[in-house]
């Protein structure tokens, strides 16, 4: 009996943890079943995905469905049913776990849904297929000449076309001991020689690998599906250490812990961080989603000793409006939150999240949330938009309070009693500017200077820049120029140049400094006044570079003169040597 788990990822660099965990668990508990998984991306043509699925010759196909891949999964399933009507088609994952009759009515190609955690349910399903299920034995209590064929055919009549498979159906409990789950990347185990027996192997240097050391979440954020499962369960530390050792040994580039809130148990998470500190390989970075307000002073002192680039944090701020936080179930001491985030060492990458469209938050209130979060100076500030997910408390609230939102994925809010459609569209433009100016990390000195001003509002700065772009007829161009670095430098340079204030002499030099700091270039945009001296460049290289190769020394450096000192903001002429390497730029004032 052949079962195929289908993962359709948003990018090639991503991996699907669910299908790997389920395949390994089922095979370990039912060796005779032929269970595999395969991965594609949402960018691939449907015909390619169909061809790949058919080549496996499965009797059962189960799609791993999320908000960002569901439309592709539904389309593939519809076409698969045309060319393989004998195949049972199912779906599992957060996008479908809390749906039923409506799902089947809209997606008749699917025969069943898997609700909640998939390992035990899929195992029981495979037992049915192999004629080893006590459930079907109860339903069909007579002799069977060919059990496997019989059970498969009767499974089809058992499931029919509207069947929801969950733990309660099979009288099963959640997995309490997470150590029974096999390591999800067997290709890294010595006996497999780089091969995954269940599907395509993950490549450590160019794939993001996901890992869980716990399941469940104790918090009650009304917009999140994780809040539904309050049963927090932990992987034993000995097992976590063994798994991390494998990642470190393979020099995996990035491992993302998918624990909904990693830092629940201080003794436990500090031991995990200590293991990483003591075994760090100089390559692997571990990503943790944490509740910053739960970090104690002891934890803050500890992370000061972590190796640079060994860990990074994602922290949900979401809003600073107290009425909003109370409604969505996030009661936070904002002053303490800011204090803790400010104490996280600068060498640890910090990603802060905001959500627009939450209850009781108007555009002006969101502006305050944005400025508060921005001034915490995260490495990345993500401006997200509320999704109304079925099965959450927010779905009920939205229905009762007249929220308007997309009826198809991603179910994003369109309008609320507190914020209009026009305001949310406006925030989409703010999101674009923030990605290009702050999150890109290309305007470091410009923002370092602007943030020194107590009255500086990052939100108002973006609004002013947007208005300037619209007046100068550049904004429509801006919307199509995402990630076009020269365009954004030209825009902000001309924005400040037109102000013609004495302070702008410094600001314009800071923009110039940021531009040349990005990397070696021999061609400069029209606005850039390149002041260059080959003799001064050569003398600086003799003093600050080993000059093993004159050609390489010039190729990996630059020389520039400024009317002010961009590093200290002093109004004194400065000559600076820029030395470039793969990871960063070193600037030396001569």
């Amino acid at each position: 009996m052949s079962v195929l788990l289908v993962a359709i990822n948003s990018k090639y660099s991503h991996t699907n943890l669910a299908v790997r965990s389920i395949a390994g668990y089922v095979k370990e508990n039912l060796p005779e079943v032929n269970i595999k998984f395969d991965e594609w991306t949402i960018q691939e043509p449907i015909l390619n995905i169909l061809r790949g699925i058919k080549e496996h010759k499965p009797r059962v196909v189960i799609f791993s469905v999320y908000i960002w891949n569901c439309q592709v999964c539904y389309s593939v399933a519809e076409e698969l049913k045309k060319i393989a009507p004998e195949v049972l088609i199912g779906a599992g994952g957060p996008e479908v776990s809390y749906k039923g009759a409506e799902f089947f009515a809209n997606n008749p190609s699917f025969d069943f849904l898997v609700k909640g955690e998939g390992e035990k349910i899929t195992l029981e399903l495979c037992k049915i297929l192999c004629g080893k299920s006590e459930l079907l034995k109860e339903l069909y209590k007579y002799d069977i000449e060919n059990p496997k064929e019989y059970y498969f055919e009767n499974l089809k009549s058992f499931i029919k076309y509207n069947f929801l498979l969950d733990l309660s159906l099979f009288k099963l409990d959640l997995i309490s001991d997470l150590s029974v789950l096999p390591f999800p990347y067997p290709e890294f185990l010595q006996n497999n020689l780089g091969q995954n027996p269940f599907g395509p192997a993950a490549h450590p240097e160019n794939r993001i690998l996901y890992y869980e050391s716990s399941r469940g979440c104790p918090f009650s954020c009304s917009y999140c599906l994780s809040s539904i499962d309050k049963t927090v369960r932990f992987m034993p530390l000995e097992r976590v250490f063994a798994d991390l050792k494998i990642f470190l040994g393979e020099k995996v580039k990035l491992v993302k812990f998918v624990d909904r809130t990693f830092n629940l148990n201080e003794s436990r998470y500090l031991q995990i961080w200590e293991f990483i500190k003591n075994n760090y390989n100089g390559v692997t970075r571990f990503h943790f989603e944490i509740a910053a307000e739960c970090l104690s002073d002891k934890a803050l002192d500890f992370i000061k000793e972590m190796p640079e680039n060994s860990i990074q944090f994602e922290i949900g701020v979401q809003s600073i409006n107290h009425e909003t936080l109370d409604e969505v179930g996030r009661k936070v001491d904002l002053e303490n939150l800011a204090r803790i985030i400010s104490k996280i060492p600068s060498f640890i990458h910090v990603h802060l999240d905001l959500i627009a469209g939450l209850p009781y938050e108007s555009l002006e209130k969101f502006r305050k949330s944005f400025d508060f979060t921005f001034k915490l100076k995260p490495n990345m500030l993500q401006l997200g938009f509320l999704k109304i997910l079925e099965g959450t408390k927010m779905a009920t609230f939205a229905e009762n309070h007249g929220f308007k939102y997309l009826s198809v994925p991603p179910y994003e809010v369109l309008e609320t009693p507190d914020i209009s459609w026009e305001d949310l569209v406006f925030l989409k433009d703010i999101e674009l500017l923030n990605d290009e100016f702050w999150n890109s990390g290309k305007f470091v000195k410009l923002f370092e200077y602007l943030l020194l001003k107590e009255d500086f509002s990052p939100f108002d700065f973006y609004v002013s820049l947007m208005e300037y772009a619209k007046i100068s007829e550049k904004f429509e161009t801006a919307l199509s120029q995402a990630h076009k670095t020269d365009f954004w430098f030209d825009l902000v340079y001309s924005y400040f140049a037109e102000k013609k204030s004495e302070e702008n002499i410094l600001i314009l030099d800071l923009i110039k400094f940021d531009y040349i700091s990005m990397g070696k270039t021999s061609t400069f945009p029209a606005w850039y006044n390149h002041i260059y001296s080959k003799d001064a460049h050569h003398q600086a290289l003799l003093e600050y570079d080993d000059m093993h190769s004159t050609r390489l020394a010039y190729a990996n450096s630059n020389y520039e003169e400024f009317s002010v000192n961009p590093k200290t903001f002093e109004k004194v002429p400065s000559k600076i040597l820029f030395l470039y390497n793969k990871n960063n730029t070193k600037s030396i004032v001569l």
Side-chain angles (χ1 to χ4, degrees):
M1 188 59 62
S2 176
V3 178
L4 179 67
L5 308 177
V6 174
I8 302 178
N9 303 322
S10 61
K11 298 178 181 178
Y12 169 77
S13 61
H14 295 178
T15 51
N16 185 298
L17 177 61
V19 297
R20 286 170 163 80
S21 181
I22 292 170
Y25 180 82
V26 170
K27 190 68 174 180
E28 193 170 274
N29 288 278
L30 193 66
E32 59 266 43
V33 72
N34 177 22
I35 186 166
K36 302 284 186 182
F37 74 85
D38 211 339
E39 291 183 291
W40 293 270
T41 70
I42 57 176
Q43 291 82 22
E44 291 191 61
I46 287 179
L47 285 175
N48 289 4
I49 301 175
L50 280 174
R51 179 176 180 176
I53 292 174
K54 282 286 287 181
E55 286 175 352
H56 283 280
K57 299 179 180 179
R59 296 294 296 274
V60 179
V61 172
I62 308 177
F63 289 84
S64 181
V65 186
Y66 300 83
I67 196 170
W68 38 263
N69 75 352
C70 59
Q71 295 296 353
V72 178
C73 291
Y74 301 160
S75 297
V76 172
E78 181 180 359
E79 305 308 325
L80 179 62
K81 186 62 82 174
K82 294 176 184 177
I83 59 175
E86 76 286 356
V87 172
L88 272 174
I89 301 177
E95 173 58 18
V96 299
S97 284
Y98 300 94
K99 297 184 177 180
E102 180 184 352
F103 173 84
F104 290 115
N106 294 329
N107 301 280
S109 301
F110 287 88
D111 301 303
F112 64 93
L113 291 180
V114 175
K115 180 179 179 179
E117 292 184 8
E119 289 89 358
K120 280 189 173 183
I121 301 170
T122 308
L123 173 61
E124 193 64 31
L125 180 64
C126 290
K127 285 181 179 179
I128 293 174
L129 301 179
C130 295
K132 292 193 171 185
S133 170
E134 296 300 321
L135 178 63
L136 274 191
K137 285 181 182 179
E138 285 296 313
L139 294 174
Y140 303 103
K141 292 181 178 178
Y142 45 83
D143 294 334
I144 303 168
E145 291 183 10
N146 191 336
K148 290 187 179 181
E149 288 300 315
Y150 177 84
Y151 274 93
F152 182 83
E153 292 306 319
N154 280 277
L155 175 68
K156 290 177 73 175
S157 63
F158 177 60
I159 287 180
K160 297 180 181 177
Y161 289 95
N162 294 283
F163 212 80
L164 185 66
L165 300 173
D166 62 15
L167 292 170
S168 63
L169 173 70
F170 298 122
K171 299 180 180 179
L172 299 170
D173 295 322
L174 290 169
I175 295 174
S176 57
D177 179 9
L178 298 185
S179 65
V180 303
L181 298 173
F183 182 66
Y185 304 96
E187 55 267 42
F188 300 148
L189 303 179
Q190 289 185 350
N191 58 331
N192 288 321
L193 300 174
Q195 300 297 312
N196 190 317
F198 309 112
H203 301 289
E205 69 280 359
N206 59 8
R207 302 295 293 274
I208 299 171
L209 303 189
Y210 297 90
Y211 179 75
E212 60 182 349
S213 70
S214 67
R215 286 185 176 181
C217 181
F219 300 111
S220 302
C221 304
S222 63
Y223 47 80
C224 180
L225 286 170
S226 296
S227 64
I228 295 172
D229 178 10
K230 298 295 181 191
T231 312
V232 180
R233 294 147 287 149
F234 296 103
M235 185 81 77
L237 279 175
E238 295 74 16
R239 168 62 189 279
V240 174
F241 296 156
D243 292 347
L244 298 189
K245 189 173 182 180
I246 296 172
F247 289 130
L248 290 163
E250 289 294 320
K251 295 188 175 180
V252 173
K253 188 174 181 180
L254 179 60
V255 177
K256 281 195 170 187
F257 276 64
V258 297
D259 304 41
R260 297 315 302 163
T261 301
F262 174 77
N263 60 319
L264 290 174
N265 183 315
E266 181 173 88
S267 173
R268 184 176 187 277
Y269 74 74
L270 287 182
Q271 288 183 72
I272 293 175
W273 287 347
E274 184 168 18
F275 182 89
I276 293 171
K277 183 182 78 170
N278 294 337
N279 295 274
Y280 186 54
N281 59 11
V283 175
T284 304
R285 181 183 291 187
F286 294 90
H287 176 104
F288 302 98
E289 186 171 329
I290 66 169
E293 63 271 20
C294 295
L295 286 179
S296 67
D297 288 338
K298 178 181 177 181
L300 289 168
D301 287 338
F302 182 88
I303 59 178
K304 293 176 184 177
E305 306 302 321
M306 292 296 293
E308 188 170 355
N309 295 321
S310 61
I311 61 174
Q312 64 184 38
F313 295 150
E314 181 173 352
I315 300 167
V317 177
Q318 320 310 13
S319 173
I320 67 165
N321 181 33
H322 291 289
E323 189 179 11
T324 298
L325 293 174
D326 286 345
E327 181 57 49
V328 301
R330 289 182 62 89
K331 296 185 178 181
V332 178
D333 181 339
L334 294 170
E335 185 177 337
N336 187 50
L337 176 67
R339 179 189 69 83
I340 290 172
I341 292 175
S342 69
K343 286 193 171 187
I344 296 174
S346 60
F347 62 80
I348 294 178
H349 180 98
V350 174
H351 177 140
L352 300 183
D353 294 329
L354 284 175
I355 298 178
L358 289 171
Y360 310 125
E361 187 158 73
S362 63
L363 181 63
E364 176 57 26
K365 289 177 180 177
F366 184 83
R367 170 188 176 275
K368 293 177 181 177
S369 294
F370 186 90
D371 282 351
F372 172 89
T373 308
F374 195 106
K375 290 183 178 182
L376 294 174
K377 302 178 185 178
N379 298 93
M380 179 170 288
L381 170 55
Q382 180 173 310
L383 198 173
F385 292 81
L386 180 65
K387 311 295 190 295
I388 309 296
L389 304 179
E390 190 168 343
T392 63
K393 292 179 182 177
M394 183 55 65
T396 302
F397 182 91
E399 189 69 26
N400 293 338
H401 290 79
F403 278 46
K404 298 175 183 177
Y405 57 94
L406 289 172
S407 56
V408 296
Y411 313 112
E412 189 169 297
V413 67
L414 301 173
E415 192 170 72
T416 79
D418 302 285
I419 194 164
S420 68
W421 156 259
E422 289 77 14
D423 288 342
L424 287 169
V425 170
F426 176 79
L427 288 178
K428 290 284 186 181
D429 295 338
I430 296 293
E431 178 190 24
L432 170 65
L433 291 176
N434 188 61
D435 283 343
E436 297 299 335
F437 281 94
W438 179 262
N439 290 342
S440 69
K442 295 171 182 174
F443 296 87
V444 176
K445 277 295 172 182
L446 172 62
F447 279 111
E448 183 182 330
Y449 176 74
L450 294 176
L451 285 167
L452 290 175
K453 303 170 179 289
E454 288 188 14
D455 61 347
F456 173 67
S457 165
F459 190 90
D460 290 349
F461 168 67
Y462 286 146
V463 171
S464 179
L465 189 60
M466 189 192 311
E467 290 173 348
Y468 168 77
K470 288 179 178 178
I471 292 171
S472 59
E473 299 183 349
K474 292 181 179 180
F475 197 69
E476 289 303 316
T477 306
L479 296 177
S480 64
Q481 294 294 314
H483 312 305
K484 300 288 186 180
T485 297
D486 279 359
F487 172 84
W488 297 105
F489 269 93
D490 176 68
L491 175 65
V492 74
Y493 190 91
S494 59
Y495 166 80
F496 280 108
E498 288 194 9
K499 292 183 180 296
K500 302 184 185 301
S501 69
E502 183 178 345
E503 179 191 42
N504 280 359
I505 296 174
L506 169 60
I507 291 177
L508 295 178
D509 262 7
L510 295 180
I511 296 171
K512 181 177 170 181
F513 179 90
D514 283 332
Y515 186 87
I516 198 171
S517 294
M518 289 190 300
K520 177 66 176 182
T521 181
S522 56
T523 58
F524 294 89
W527 59 266
Y528 190 104
N529 179 27
H530 187 33
I531 304 173
Y532 180 75
S533 166
K534 187 173 182 179
D535 288 341
H537 189 181
H538 184 76
Q539 288 299 319
L541 286 173
L542 288 175
E543 184 174 354
Y544 295 102
D545 191 83
D546 54 35
M547 290 288 279
H548 288 315
S549 165
T550 302
R551 182 182 65 82
L552 288 177
Y554 276 96
N556 294 311
S557 68
N558 221 325
Y559 170 89
E560 185 58 84
E561 296 183 7
F562 300 87
S563 57
V564 299
N565 186 332
K567 300 190 72 173
T568 64
F569 309 138
E570 294 177 283
K571 295 180 180 180
V572 293
S574 302
K575 301 174 181 180
I576 299 180
L577 174 70
F578 294 86
L579 298 175
Y580 308 109
N581 61 38
K582 184 178 180 180
N583 298 316
N584 56 47
T585 298
K586 183 178 181 181
S587 54
I588 303 167
V589 179
L590 305 174

